[in-house]
C-alpha cells in the first residue's frame, strides 16, 4: 500500500473514532501503553536547551520493558480480529497479503495461522 493510500486510510479510520468515554478496549490500552513508551523515550532523549532531563530510574525502564509482551498480545488479537473481518467481507488472502506488505497469499494465511496458534497458547497459559 502506497504511503498516500495509508495516510488516507488513517484519516478514514480516524473519522470512525467513537466516544472516548466508552470503557477501555484493547486498542485503547495499546494506545495508552504506546504513549507511555513515547514519554519515556522523549524523557531520555535530547532535551530542548535550558531544560533538564527528568530522572529515569532502572525501575522506570523495567516498567517500560514489561509493557511489550502485553502490547504484542493486544496487537495479535487486534490483527486477528481485523483479518477475520476482512475475510468475512470477502477479501481474499492475496488482497490481505498486499495490505500487510507480504508478497504472497500463502504468507498472509500462514501469518494468520501463527497468530491464532499464539493466541490459543496464551489463552491456555502455555505462553
Amino acid at each position: 500500500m502506497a504511503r498516500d493510500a495509508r495516510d488516507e486510510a488513517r484519516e478514514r479510520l480516524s473519522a470512525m473514532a467513537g466516544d472516548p468515554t466508552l470503557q477501555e478496549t484493547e486498542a485503547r490500552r495499546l494506545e495508552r501503553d504506546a504513549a507511555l513508551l513515547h514519554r519515556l523515550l522523549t524523557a531520555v532523549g535530547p532535551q530542548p536547551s535550558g531544560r533538564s532531563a527528568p530522572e529515569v530510574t532502572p525501575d522506570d525502564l523495567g516498567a517500560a520493558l514489561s509493557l511489550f509482551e502485553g502490547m504484542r498480545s493486544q496487537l495479535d488479537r487486534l490483527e486477528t480480529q481485523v483479518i477475520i473481518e476482512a475475510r468475512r467481507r470477502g477479501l481474499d488472502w492475496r488482497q490481505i497479503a498486499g495490505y500487510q506488505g507480504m508478497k504472497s497469499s500463502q504468507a498472509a494465511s500462514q501469518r494468520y495461522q501463527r497468530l491464532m496458534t499464539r493466541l490459543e497458547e496464551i489463552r491456555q497459559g502455555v505462553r
Side-chain angles (χ1 to χ4, degrees):
M1 182 182 268
R3 183 159 176 69
D4 290 340
R6 275 185 265 162
D7 290 340
E8 288 174 17
R10 282 187 183 97
E11 287 178 25
R12 284 193 307 276
L13 293 171
S14 293
M16 292 181 199
D19 183 354
T21 62
L22 294 175
Q23 71 180 21
E24 188 173 57
T25 63
E26 285 186 7
R28 293 205 192 285
R29 281 192 301 276
L30 185 61
E31 180 181 30
R32 181 201 63 211
D33 290 349
L36 291 172
L37 293 169
H38 174 73
R39 285 186 206 139
L40 172 79
L41 294 174
T42 301
V44 299
Q47 300 296 311
S49 60
R51 250 198 197 165
S52 62
E55 183 180 340
V56 176
T57 68
D59 286 340
D60 296 333
L61 295 168
L65 288 169
S66 71
L67 295 174
F68 284 99
E69 189 57 36
M71 292 174 73
R72 280 186 194 95
S73 297
Q74 290 169 4
L75 277 172
D76 289 350
R77 279 191 287 279
L78 290 169
E79 183 176 354
T80 301
Q81 290 170 347
V82 172
I83 291 170
I84 289 169
E85 185 62 22
R87 294 289 293 153
R88 190 177 78 74
R89 293 189 181 231
L91 272 74
D92 61 33
W93 287 111
R94 180 186 51 76
Q95 291 169 304
I96 292 169
Y99 287 119
Q100 290 181 313
M102 297 177 182
K103 295 184 189 273
S104 72
S105 58
Q106 182 180 8
S109 177
Q110 287 173 344
R111 173 160 176 77
Y112 171 73
Q113 290 303 317
R114 283 191 304 274
L115 286 169
M116 292 297 290
T117 299
R118 189 165 50 226
L119 290 172
E120 182 59 21
E121 288 173 351
I122 291 168
R123 189 187 73 75
Q124 292 180 4
V126 175
R127 279 188 180 225

